Amino acid sequence: MYKTYYVTTPIYYVNDLPHIGTAYTTVVADVLARYHRLKGEEVFFLTGTDEHGQHVARAAERNGVTPQEWADRMVVHFTEVWERLNISNDFFIRTTSPRHAEVARRFIQKLYDKGDIYLDTYEGWYCVPDESFWLPSQLADGKCPQCGREVELVQEENYFFRLSAYADRLLAHIESHPEFVQPDMRRNEVISFIKQGLTDQSISRKTITWGIPLPFDESQVMYVWFDALLNYISAIDYGVDEERFNAIWPADVHLIGKEILRFHAIIWPAMLMAAGLPLPRQVFAHGWLTVEGEKMSKSKGNAISPHVLIDEYGVDAYRYYFLREFSFGYDGNFSRENMTGRYNADLANALGNMVSRVLAMVERYRGGEVPESGKEEEAADRALRESAGRVLGEVDGAMEALAFNEALQAIWNYLGAVNRYVDETAAWDLAKDPDMAGRLDTVLYNQVEAVRLTAILVLPFMPRTGEGIWKRLGFTDSIHLHHLPAAGAWGLFPPGQKVSKGEPLFPRMEKGK
Ligand code: MSP
């Protein structure tokens, strides 16, 4: 029995609307979750919202509502956009939910009872937008070293977590588990950060009221990051339903942006160690998206809502573009010209046209009924079959390495091979010669089989497209019932089944659009 594959996104602050940067992690996580489901694995895919913290409280104040009202209003923007993006999360965690607060309070009590939490005076700087504490020596020109914004002086009695006590164990773990923090450049960053020495971490706030009260001192609330990180275990019933928790934990991968690496690769594992819990298998930090070469920001007003791009290109083109264009782990730039180019070349042409051409030929030459393939295999047939065999392995390797663009590249290489097969075998010529009827049957069968495999391969990336191709192929069951590797075997298409070309999958887009 496999353990449940557990993938998470960061939980998003509700101070702002989702944009294509925040949506990036969620789309990636969805593709990963869907790929593992396609392999027949049990999957738990978690996303949600981070609703405490000063940042959120201030946004609420500016808008003249309570933080809870604000969170309730903002969370809808997230759930709506995830629905439109066809995000298949199994649960949506909100940190203001009673279950989360209960688990968080129990967790912190456990660490307190163990002696890992103590009271001391904190004196230092706080970046409200990043919700992070900084020592004077860490500031960059008096500003937040992370985001460059103003920091505020904090001087109060806080509870501290003995982070320093876990430094050695943590370093040993990271060094002996190269896969734990990825990509390698991020792993090196974390290692050198720990080697500089870890200081204990303030994990409560006294002068703030918007947060989860500490069970051992109700006059203080939990530091928002301590609270937020616990979402990964509160969502799966830590301390509430041990059987369920143990079936899902540890997480297979926490997908995060590079700027929140230290929270996930240092503080979080130390918290887990303190609680005696196993560590996640991997923390993978991706890069940042810029828009037309610029950092997205409120002040520049250049943040793009996913809705705008979905309206223009459609949801599957959106999902495809961000996974194909960006090398996961690295920064990347979004541009409309580039997205339109990819849409036309990769989706309208290589994929959409190929599917319509193949199905149109079955309609034209065989009344839509897929013929039985002849027994004889010619060189072109073999090349196609072999290319189909190869792509499955290539995609699997790339997906295991979270190299999504490489997986898509492999699929598009395969589509190239299918297109070549269609051109070379020239069914339109065979159709003119009655003596070639048998050969035409084989060629049409192979093309349709190649399309069946295409539907399965693109499914995690473009679920609607995979489903749409499946339907055009005449299947009446759900494509989601078919799993790899079995469904990847060549020759499974049932002869005699009726296909139909249907509407174009990706109508070509005008240049200027
Ligand atoms: N609430 C914290 C995370 C807590 S997880 C226990 C948080 N929230 S956030 O809303 O500010 O950011 C969430 C994610 O969005 C981060 O992973 C961040 O990297 C990602 N992105 C925000 N802007 C982005 C880009 N421009 N590009 C890519 N990802 C970016 O941090």
Side-chain angles (χ1 to χ4, degrees):
M1 244 290 278
Y2 281 113
K3 173 196 155 294
T4 297
Y5 182 84
Y6 184 21
V7 51
T8 68
T9 74
I11 49 173
Y12 301 97
Y13 288 130
V14 288
N15 56 291
D16 218 347
L17 294 172
H19 56 65
I20 58 171
T22 38
Y24 179 61
T25 330
T26 308
V27 171
V28 168
D30 186 63
V31 170
L32 198 55
R34 286 178 182 273
Y35 183 70
H36 282 270
R37 288 192 201 108
L38 178 59
K39 292 215 294 184
E41 294 171 32
E42 191 68 44
V43 170
F44 191 75
F45 166 23
L46 179 69
T47 190
T49 41
D50 190 351
E51 305 187 353
H52 291 125
Q54 259 172 292
H55 206 25
V56 171
R58 286 189 191 171
E61 202 178 294
R62 275 197 304 278
N63 288 276
V65 293
T66 66
Q68 189 64 62
E69 280 167 342
W70 177 252
D72 291 346
R73 188 192 290 179
M74 291 299 287
V75 72
V76 179
H77 294 289
F78 287 88
T79 51
E80 265 175 14
V81 81
W82 301 151
E83 204 167 306
R84 266 199 96 191
L85 281 167
N86 211 352
I87 301 302
S88 63
N89 54 299
D90 295 287
F91 188 63
F92 189 96
I93 179 94
R94 298 184 58 182
T95 54
T96 54
S97 67
R99 164 60 51 86
H100 173 77
E102 182 192 327
V103 172
R105 278 161 64 93
R106 272 199 225 159
F107 184 96
I108 208 167
Q109 181 72 51
K110 186 167 175 178
L111 269 50
Y112 183 76
D113 294 343
K114 234 187 115 202
D116 270 338
I117 287 175
Y118 62 92
L119 193 62
D120 204 348
T121 308
Y122 180 80
E123 226 190 287
W125 299 90
Y126 195 78
C127 170
V128 175
D130 281 352
E131 303 283 2
S132 33
F133 292 99
W134 300 103
L135 298 170
S137 60
Q138 293 174 312
L139 298 185
D141 291 330
K143 303 258 172 66
C144 171
Q146 182 72 56
C147 68
R149 286 174 285 205
E150 297 288 335
V151 286
E152 298 174 16
L153 190 63
V154 173
Q155 224 172 355
E156 56 185 44
E157 261 208 329
N158 283 173
Y159 286 89
F160 283 74
F161 168 52
R162 277 186 217 286
L163 181 62
S164 58
Y166 293 92
D168 293 344
R169 263 179 72 193
L170 191 57
L171 190 60
H173 183 83
I174 296 172
E175 287 186 326
S176 60
H177 295 80
E179 75 293 350
F180 179 59
V181 181
Q182 278 297 313
D184 279 336
M185 59 175 167
R186 301 295 166 212
R187 174 167 178 265
N188 295 336
E189 238 176 75
V190 172
I191 291 177
S192 71
F193 190 85
I194 300 175
K195 282 186 174 164
Q196 283 164 31
L198 294 181
T199 50
D200 291 348
Q201 169 77 39
S202 164
I203 46 118
S204 71
R205 294 301 304 272
K206 198 186 175 87
T207 49
I208 312 288
T209 53
W210 180 234
I212 301 174
L214 299 183
F216 44 84
D217 182 349
E218 301 270 339
S219 74
Q220 300 225 10
V221 297
M222 215 177 279
Y223 168 44
V224 64
W225 266 101
F226 198 91
D227 155 0
L229 289 162
L230 290 170
N231 91 86
Y232 300 130
I233 59 171
S234 74
I236 54 169
D237 289 341
Y238 171 68
V240 177
D241 180 345
E242 284 306 297
E243 200 178 322
R244 173 164 192 254
F245 177 75
N246 289 328
I248 304 177
W249 190 257
D252 289 81
V253 61
H254 290 312
L255 300 175
I256 59 163
K258 63 182 181 183
E259 85 291 1
I260 55 176
L261 179 63
R262 273 194 274 147
F263 294 104
H264 285 84
I266 297 178
I267 299 181
W268 178 228
M271 285 165 65
L272 291 166
M273 281 175 174
L277 288 173
L279 304 191
R281 288 189 218 293
Q282 185 166 73
V283 173
F284 197 108
H286 64 72
W288 269 51
L289 266 60
T290 50
V291 169
E292 312 283 349
E294 293 206 54
K295 197 177 164 191
M296 260 181 286
S297 79
K298 232 186 188 167
S299 51
K300 285 202 197 95
N302 63 346
I304 299 179
S305 157
H307 291 293
V308 173
L309 295 183
I310 300 170
D311 290 342
E312 281 178 43
Y313 296 89
V315 53
D316 277 3
Y318 181 112
R319 296 171 58 106
Y320 173 77
Y321 174 76
F322 285 97
L323 275 100
R324 174 63 186 83
E325 189 58 30
F326 302 93
S327 181
F328 193 60
Y330 300 87
D331 293 345
N333 180 50
F334 165 84
S335 90
R336 273 208 163 66
E337 195 188 325
N338 187 236
M339 186 165 179
T340 306
R342 281 224 172 268
Y343 177 95
N344 282 332
D346 302 357
L347 299 179
N349 256 351
L351 174 61
N353 275 355
M354 184 275 282
V355 172
S356 343
R357 269 173 97 195
V358 166
L359 299 182
M361 285 191 278
V362 181
E363 285 184 339
R364 192 167 323 131
Y365 307 131
R366 292 293 180 261
E369 209 166 284
V370 177
E372 197 155 344
S373 167
K375 296 268 174 298
E376 243 162 76
E377 190 179 61
E378 295 193 4
D381 308 337
R382 187 176 329 117
L384 179 67
R385 181 172 53 78
E386 283 172 359
S387 147
R390 251 194 328 272
V391 66
L392 292 159
E394 287 168 355
V395 167
D396 197 51
M399 293 302 280
E400 290 301 326
L402 309 192
F404 305 100
N405 61 335
E406 286 173 23
L408 286 170
Q409 232 158 359
I411 298 173
W412 260 256
N413 283 343
Y414 164 71
L415 295 183
V418 179
N419 271 308
R420 269 195 306 283
Y421 181 84
V422 171
D423 290 340
E424 283 169 14
T425 52
W428 45 94
D429 286 338
L430 296 172
K432 288 181 202 147
D433 182 352
D435 288 346
M436 296 307 277
R439 178 64 192 148
L440 178 59
D441 283 348
T442 300
V443 164
L444 291 176
Y445 181 88
N446 284 339
Q447 294 180 1
V448 170
E449 177 61 352
V451 170
R452 183 187 67 86
L453 217 64
T454 302
I456 291 172
L457 286 168
V458 301
L459 190 66
F461 298 90
M462 300 190 283
R464 297 252 157 81
T465 304
E467 291 157 4
I469 299 176
W470 200 248
K471 211 166 151 211
R472 284 168 174 76
L473 287 173
F475 289 106
T476 49
D477 64 350
S478 162
I479 186 173
H480 301 285
L481 297 172
H482 298 262
H483 297 134
L484 288 177
W490 187 258
L492 293 181
F493 194 90
Q497 183 159 300
K498 257 196 128 159
V499 301
S500 65
K501 179 172 154 242
E503 295 295 310
L505 289 164
F506 297 96
R508 249 194 109 71
M509 264 183 126
E510 299 302 323
K511 265 232 171 84
K513 219 186 142 192

